Amino acid sequence: DARVTQTPRHKVTEMGQEVTMRCQPILGHNTVFWYRQTMMQGLELLAYFRNRAPLDDSGMPKDRFSAEMPDATLATLKIQPSEPRDSAVYFCASGLVGGNIQYFGAGTRLSVL
Amino acid sequence: GENVEQHPSTLSVQEGDSAVIKCTYSDSASNYFPWYKQELGKGPQLIIDIRSNVGEKKDQRIAVTLNKTAKHFSLHITETQPEDSAVYFCAASIYGGSQGNLIFGKGTKLSVKP
């Protein structure tokens, strides 16, 4: 049963700490998306990759967020330093170039105290 | 860029009634309109989609309609059941586009009361 795997599922940290969220896309998928979900803003696209190359990260606060794909099986989203306003659920999704269906992971719920 | 508006933000219906969620989009180039369902504690999952070359698509109790002229599309759920309770998101995109990114609406929380 192919699925997108995100770790950790929950993260509680203190303001100023570094946070790293990981995503394993479905094997063979070549697009990866990072979203942030809050009650106020809904689903916000932070960044997306095609064939491991970043295509657009305009939705990300550049000074503290960074997204990478070290290899085809791993995508990471880092926040340094974290702030209370970063508290949200972060989703990773993967898909195929030329297709439009995105398959979402279960998310990482981040709480920054 | 594309902008998707979704209404209502919350919807409560009695079990067995129908539910309708509406979305409008701004970019006439968009031609692919999926609907995602997000259950509590899970990520959104695709439930139905429609391309602009058709006006309606059905899958059992759910259907989606599209009006290209008016730039709006709707999700219809008939004979609602408690397990339909979830947050529903509409989205718009260009099918097969090189980027493949979806623009989502802000979601509708559907509650089906037994």
mmCIF file of all heavy atoms in Angstrom, chain B residues 69-95:
data_model
loop_
_atom_site.group_PDB
_atom_site.id
_atom_site.type_symbol
_atom_site.label_atom_id
_atom_site.label_comp_id
_atom_site.label_asym_id
_atom_site.label_seq_id
_atom_site.Cartn_x
_atom_site.Cartn_y
_atom_site.Cartn_z
ATOM 1 N N THR B 69 -18.307 28.869 -17.988
ATOM 2 C CA THR B 69 -18.619 30.266 -18.298
ATOM 3 C C THR B 69 -18.624 31.113 -17.042
ATOM 4 O O THR B 69 -18.072 32.213 -17.019
ATOM 5 C CB THR B 69 -19.980 30.358 -19.004
ATOM 6 O OG1 THR B 69 -19.955 29.534 -20.177
ATOM 7 C CG2 THR B 69 -20.295 31.793 -19.382
ATOM 8 N N ALA B 70 -19.244 30.587 -16.008
ATOM 9 C CA ALA B 70 -19.346 31.321 -14.754
ATOM 10 C C ALA B 70 -18.133 31.094 -13.859
ATOM 11 O O ALA B 70 -18.019 31.731 -12.809
ATOM 12 C CB ALA B 70 -20.619 30.913 -14.013
ATOM 13 N N LYS B 71 -17.274 30.182 -14.244
ATOM 14 C CA LYS B 71 -16.077 29.835 -13.455
ATOM 15 C C LYS B 71 -16.465 29.375 -12.057
ATOM 16 O O LYS B 71 -15.921 29.862 -11.052
ATOM 17 C CB LYS B 71 -15.101 31.011 -13.376
ATOM 18 C CG LYS B 71 -14.487 31.426 -14.708
ATOM 19 C CD LYS B 71 -13.173 32.150 -14.474
ATOM 20 C CE LYS B 71 -12.746 32.887 -15.733
ATOM 21 N NZ LYS B 71 -13.089 34.298 -15.736
ATOM 22 N N HIS B 72 -17.399 28.459 -11.985
ATOM 23 C CA HIS B 72 -17.669 27.868 -10.692
ATOM 24 C C HIS B 72 -17.969 26.380 -10.829
ATOM 25 O O HIS B 72 -18.383 25.891 -11.880
ATOM 26 C CB HIS B 72 -18.748 28.625 -9.894
ATOM 27 C CG HIS B 72 -20.116 28.591 -10.471
ATOM 28 N ND1 HIS B 72 -20.913 27.466 -10.517
ATOM 29 C CD2 HIS B 72 -20.853 29.591 -11.004
ATOM 30 C CE1 HIS B 72 -22.084 27.770 -11.048
ATOM 31 N NE2 HIS B 72 -22.068 29.044 -11.365
ATOM 32 N N PHE B 73 -17.686 25.680 -9.743
ATOM 33 C CA PHE B 73 -17.912 24.245 -9.706
ATOM 34 C C PHE B 73 -18.395 23.861 -8.306
ATOM 35 O O PHE B 73 -18.153 24.591 -7.335
ATOM 36 C CB PHE B 73 -16.654 23.452 -10.111
ATOM 37 C CG PHE B 73 -15.408 23.756 -9.326
ATOM 38 C CD1 PHE B 73 -14.873 22.801 -8.474
ATOM 39 C CD2 PHE B 73 -14.730 24.951 -9.473
ATOM 40 C CE1 PHE B 73 -13.711 23.043 -7.771
ATOM 41 C CE2 PHE B 73 -13.568 25.221 -8.764
ATOM 42 C CZ PHE B 73 -13.066 24.265 -7.913
ATOM 43 N N SER B 74 -19.109 22.761 -8.230
ATOM 44 C CA SER B 74 -19.773 22.395 -6.979
ATOM 45 C C SER B 74 -19.635 20.904 -6.699
ATOM 46 O O SER B 74 -19.560 20.097 -7.626
ATOM 47 C CB SER B 74 -21.262 22.739 -7.041
ATOM 48 O OG SER B 74 -21.461 24.116 -7.257
ATOM 49 N N LEU B 75 -19.633 20.582 -5.425
ATOM 50 C CA LEU B 75 -19.634 19.191 -4.969
ATOM 51 C C LEU B 75 -21.001 18.894 -4.375
ATOM 52 O O LEU B 75 -21.503 19.667 -3.550
ATOM 53 C CB LEU B 75 -18.554 18.971 -3.915
ATOM 54 C CG LEU B 75 -18.487 17.566 -3.304
ATOM 55 C CD1 LEU B 75 -17.963 16.559 -4.340
ATOM 56 C CD2 LEU B 75 -17.598 17.556 -2.056
ATOM 57 N N HIS B 76 -21.599 17.797 -4.804
ATOM 58 C CA HIS B 76 -22.902 17.399 -4.307
ATOM 59 C C HIS B 76 -22.771 16.026 -3.648
ATOM 60 O O HIS B 76 -22.267 15.081 -4.277
ATOM 61 C CB HIS B 76 -23.905 17.299 -5.460
ATOM 62 C CG HIS B 76 -24.041 18.562 -6.258
ATOM 63 N ND1 HIS B 76 -25.149 19.393 -6.185
ATOM 64 C CD2 HIS B 76 -23.199 19.148 -7.139
ATOM 65 C CE1 HIS B 76 -24.976 20.419 -6.996
ATOM 66 N NE2 HIS B 76 -23.811 20.305 -7.589
ATOM 67 N N ILE B 77 -23.221 15.936 -2.409
ATOM 68 C CA ILE B 77 -23.237 14.651 -1.719
ATOM 69 C C ILE B 77 -24.690 14.335 -1.396
ATOM 70 O O ILE B 77 -25.374 15.123 -0.730
ATOM 71 C CB ILE B 77 -22.417 14.683 -0.415
ATOM 72 C CG1 ILE B 77 -20.985 15.169 -0.696
ATOM 73 C CG2 ILE B 77 -22.382 13.291 0.223
ATOM 74 C CD1 ILE B 77 -20.150 15.365 0.566
ATOM 75 N N THR B 78 -25.182 13.220 -1.882
ATOM 76 C CA THR B 78 -26.563 12.817 -1.604
ATOM 77 C C THR B 78 -26.587 11.751 -0.521
ATOM 78 O O THR B 78 -25.573 11.083 -0.252
ATOM 79 C CB THR B 78 -27.236 12.267 -2.872
ATOM 80 O OG1 THR B 78 -26.476 11.147 -3.350
ATOM 81 C CG2 THR B 78 -27.297 13.328 -3.964
ATOM 82 N N GLU B 79 -27.741 11.644 0.116
ATOM 83 C CA GLU B 79 -27.950 10.630 1.174
ATOM 84 C C GLU B 79 -26.774 10.617 2.151
ATOM 85 O O GLU B 79 -26.140 9.580 2.373
ATOM 86 C CB GLU B 79 -28.139 9.249 0.535
ATOM 87 C CG GLU B 79 -29.321 9.173 -0.409
ATOM 88 C CD GLU B 79 -29.393 7.834 -1.146
ATOM 89 O OE1 GLU B 79 -28.756 6.859 -0.697
ATOM 90 O OE2 GLU B 79 -30.064 7.779 -2.179
ATOM 91 N N THR B 80 -26.500 11.767 2.723
ATOM 92 C CA THR B 80 -25.326 11.905 3.585
ATOM 93 C C THR B 80 -25.376 10.931 4.764
ATOM 94 O O THR B 80 -26.446 10.576 5.286
ATOM 95 C CB THR B 80 -25.201 13.333 4.119
ATOM 96 O OG1 THR B 80 -26.432 13.708 4.753
ATOM 97 C CG2 THR B 80 -24.863 14.298 2.996
ATOM 98 N N GLN B 81 -24.174 10.518 5.155
ATOM 99 C CA GLN B 81 -24.005 9.589 6.273
ATOM 100 C C GLN B 81 -23.010 10.191 7.260
ATOM 101 O O GLN B 81 -22.209 11.054 6.892
ATOM 102 C CB GLN B 81 -23.482 8.247 5.731
ATOM 103 C CG GLN B 81 -24.410 7.611 4.713
ATOM 104 C CD GLN B 81 -23.786 6.433 3.979
ATOM 105 O OE1 GLN B 81 -22.657 6.036 4.265
ATOM 106 N NE2 GLN B 81 -24.519 5.885 3.033
ATOM 107 N N PRO B 82 -23.055 9.757 8.515
ATOM 108 C CA PRO B 82 -22.123 10.333 9.508
ATOM 109 C C PRO B 82 -20.665 10.252 9.071
ATOM 110 O O PRO B 82 -19.879 11.167 9.383
ATOM 111 C CB PRO B 82 -22.388 9.474 10.754
ATOM 112 C CG PRO B 82 -23.827 9.063 10.628
ATOM 113 C CD PRO B 82 -24.027 8.841 9.149
ATOM 114 N N GLU B 83 -20.298 9.232 8.328
ATOM 115 C CA GLU B 83 -18.895 9.103 7.895
ATOM 116 C C GLU B 83 -18.515 10.112 6.813
ATOM 117 O O GLU B 83 -17.339 10.221 6.437
ATOM 118 C CB GLU B 83 -18.596 7.681 7.423
ATOM 119 C CG GLU B 83 -19.550 7.154 6.380
ATOM 120 C CD GLU B 83 -20.649 6.305 7.003
ATOM 121 O OE1 GLU B 83 -21.139 6.659 8.098
ATOM 122 O OE2 GLU B 83 -21.013 5.287 6.373
ATOM 123 N N ASP B 84 -19.498 10.860 6.319
ATOM 124 C CA ASP B 84 -19.184 11.947 5.377
ATOM 125 C C ASP B 84 -18.687 13.190 6.123
ATOM 126 O O ASP B 84 -18.191 14.135 5.499
ATOM 127 C CB ASP B 84 -20.420 12.329 4.553
ATOM 128 C CG ASP B 84 -20.879 11.211 3.633
ATOM 129 O OD1 ASP B 84 -20.027 10.432 3.154
ATOM 130 O OD2 ASP B 84 -22.103 11.111 3.389
ATOM 131 N N SER B 85 -18.830 13.213 7.440
ATOM 132 C CA SER B 85 -18.362 14.347 8.232
ATOM 133 C C SER B 85 -16.852 14.477 8.078
ATOM 134 O O SER B 85 -16.098 13.531 8.357
ATOM 135 C CB SER B 85 -18.720 14.167 9.711
ATOM 136 O OG SER B 85 -20.132 14.158 9.883
ATOM 137 N N ALA B 86 -16.421 15.653 7.626
ATOM 138 C CA ALA B 86 -15.003 15.891 7.337
ATOM 139 C C ALA B 86 -14.871 17.327 6.841
ATOM 140 O O ALA B 86 -15.860 18.050 6.722
ATOM 141 C CB ALA B 86 -14.484 14.919 6.271
ATOM 142 N N VAL B 87 -13.643 17.710 6.526
ATOM 143 C CA VAL B 87 -13.407 18.981 5.846
ATOM 144 C C VAL B 87 -13.156 18.690 4.372
ATOM 145 O O VAL B 87 -12.360 17.803 4.038
ATOM 146 C CB VAL B 87 -12.200 19.731 6.453
ATOM 147 C CG1 VAL B 87 -11.968 21.046 5.700
ATOM 148 C CG2 VAL B 87 -12.434 20.005 7.937
ATOM 149 N N TYR B 88 -13.850 19.413 3.524
ATOM 150 C CA TYR B 88 -13.734 19.219 2.084
ATOM 151 C C TYR B 88 -13.055 20.438 1.458
ATOM 152 O O TYR B 88 -13.402 21.578 1.766
ATOM 153 C CB TYR B 88 -15.116 19.019 1.453
ATOM 154 C CG TYR B 88 -15.750 17.712 1.872
ATOM 155 C CD1 TYR B 88 -16.398 17.593 3.098
ATOM 156 C CD2 TYR B 88 -15.680 16.583 1.048
ATOM 157 C CE1 TYR B 88 -16.966 16.382 3.493
ATOM 158 C CE2 TYR B 88 -16.252 15.380 1.440
ATOM 159 C CZ TYR B 88 -16.884 15.286 2.668
ATOM 160 O OH TYR B 88 -17.428 14.088 3.058
ATOM 161 N N PHE B 89 -12.097 20.168 0.582
ATOM 162 C CA PHE B 89 -11.378 21.231 -0.119
ATOM 163 C C PHE B 89 -11.597 21.095 -1.624
ATOM 164 O O PHE B 89 -11.459 19.996 -2.186
ATOM 165 C CB PHE B 89 -9.867 21.136 0.138
ATOM 166 C CG PHE B 89 -9.458 21.414 1.551
ATOM 167 C CD1 PHE B 89 -9.316 20.387 2.466
ATOM 168 C CD2 PHE B 89 -9.206 22.716 1.958
ATOM 169 C CE1 PHE B 89 -8.923 20.641 3.773
ATOM 170 C CE2 PHE B 89 -8.824 22.982 3.263
ATOM 171 C CZ PHE B 89 -8.679 21.948 4.168
ATOM 172 N N CYS B 90 -11.885 22.213 -2.260
ATOM 173 C CA CYS B 90 -11.861 22.237 -3.717
ATOM 174 C C CYS B 90 -10.509 22.802 -4.148
ATOM 175 O O CYS B 90 -9.802 23.430 -3.354
ATOM 176 C CB CYS B 90 -12.993 23.089 -4.281
ATOM 177 S SG CYS B 90 -12.932 24.842 -3.820
ATOM 178 N N ALA B 91 -10.151 22.581 -5.382
ATOM 179 C CA ALA B 91 -8.886 23.086 -5.910
ATOM 180 C C ALA B 91 -9.010 23.285 -7.408
ATOM 181 O O ALA B 91 -9.911 22.742 -8.060
ATOM 182 C CB ALA B 91 -7.738 22.128 -5.581
ATOM 183 N N ALA B 92 -8.082 24.055 -7.952
ATOM 184 C CA ALA B 92 -8.042 24.305 -9.388
ATOM 185 C C ALA B 92 -6.606 24.216 -9.868
ATOM 186 O O ALA B 92 -5.666 24.530 -9.130
ATOM 187 C CB ALA B 92 -8.634 25.676 -9.715
ATOM 188 N N SER B 93 -6.463 23.793 -11.121
ATOM 189 C CA SER B 93 -5.127 23.615 -11.675
ATOM 190 C C SER B 93 -5.226 23.549 -13.193
ATOM 191 O O SER B 93 -6.322 23.538 -13.754
ATOM 192 C CB SER B 93 -4.518 22.318 -11.125
ATOM 193 O OG SER B 93 -3.237 22.086 -11.635
ATOM 194 N N ILE B 94 -4.075 23.474 -13.824
ATOM 195 C CA ILE B 94 -4.023 23.222 -15.263
ATOM 196 C C ILE B 94 -3.622 21.772 -15.443
ATOM 197 O O ILE B 94 -2.520 21.372 -15.031
ATOM 198 C CB ILE B 94 -3.033 24.168 -15.961
ATOM 199 C CG1 ILE B 94 -3.528 25.605 -15.833
ATOM 200 C CG2 ILE B 94 -2.862 23.788 -17.433
ATOM 201 C CD1 ILE B 94 -2.573 26.642 -16.374
ATOM 202 N N TYR B 95 -4.508 20.968 -16.027
ATOM 203 C CA TYR B 95 -4.263 19.539 -16.149
ATOM 204 C C TYR B 95 -3.032 19.262 -16.997
ATOM 205 O O TYR B 95 -2.887 19.796 -18.093
ATOM 206 C CB TYR B 95 -5.463 18.833 -16.769
ATOM 207 C CG TYR B 95 -5.323 17.330 -16.754
ATOM 208 C CD1 TYR B 95 -5.606 16.621 -15.595
ATOM 209 C CD2 TYR B 95 -4.875 16.638 -17.873
ATOM 210 C CE1 TYR B 95 -5.459 15.247 -15.554
ATOM 211 C CE2 TYR B 95 -4.732 15.275 -17.833
ATOM 212 C CZ TYR B 95 -5.017 14.580 -16.672
ATOM 213 O OH TYR B 95 -4.861 13.227 -16.637
#
